[in-house]
C-alpha cells in the first residue's frame, strides 16, 4: 500500500499526486473521493469562511480530483 500526501483544496497538490500515480502505475482505474469534513451546529451560525472551507473540501475537492483523473 502506498500513501501520498494530498490537499484536495489545492490545485497543484491534486495535479502533483495524480501525476505521481500515473508515473508509477501508468493509469488510474478507480477514483474514490472520500475526503470530507462535517460541521455541527446551526448553519446560520457558521461564518462564510467556515462554509467556504467545507465546500472547498466536500464539493470542489471532488471536482478537482475528478477533473484531474479524467485527463488521463
Amino acid at each position: 500500500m502506498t500513501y501520498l500526501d494530498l490537499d484536495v483544496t489545492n490545485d497543484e497538490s491534486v495535479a502533483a499526486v495524480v501525476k505521481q500515480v500515473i508515473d508509477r502505475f501508468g493509469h488510474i482505474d478507480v477514483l474514490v473521493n472520500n475526503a470530507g469534513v462535517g460541521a455541527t451546529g446551526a448553519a446560520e451560525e457558521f461564518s462564510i469562511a467556515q462554509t467556504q472551507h467545507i465546500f472547498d473540501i466536500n464539493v470542489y475537492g471532488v471536482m478537482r480530483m475528478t477533473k484531474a483523473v479524467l485527463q488521463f
Side-chain angles (χ1 to χ4, degrees):
M1 182 164 305
T2 302
Y3 293 95
L4 302 171
D5 287 331
L6 170 64
D7 178 359
V8 298
T9 68
N10 182 286
D11 292 333
E12 291 79 23
S13 177
V14 168
V17 168
V18 170
K19 183 180 180 330
Q20 283 181 304
V21 172
I22 295 298
D23 289 348
R24 181 168 181 179
F25 300 105
H27 62 280
I28 297 175
D29 292 325
V30 176
L31 170 64
V32 177
N33 278 307
N34 68 337
V37 295
T40 58
E44 65 270 14
E45 294 177 2
F46 299 149
S47 69
I48 295 297
Q50 288 171 308
T51 304
Q52 286 174 327
H53 179 70
I54 292 168
F55 266 74
D56 202 21
I57 294 170
N58 295 353
V59 177
Y60 301 124
V62 171
M63 293 173 69
R64 277 186 195 92
M65 290 302 303
T66 302
K67 288 181 72 160
V69 169
L70 284 177
Q71 293 181 29
F72 296 95

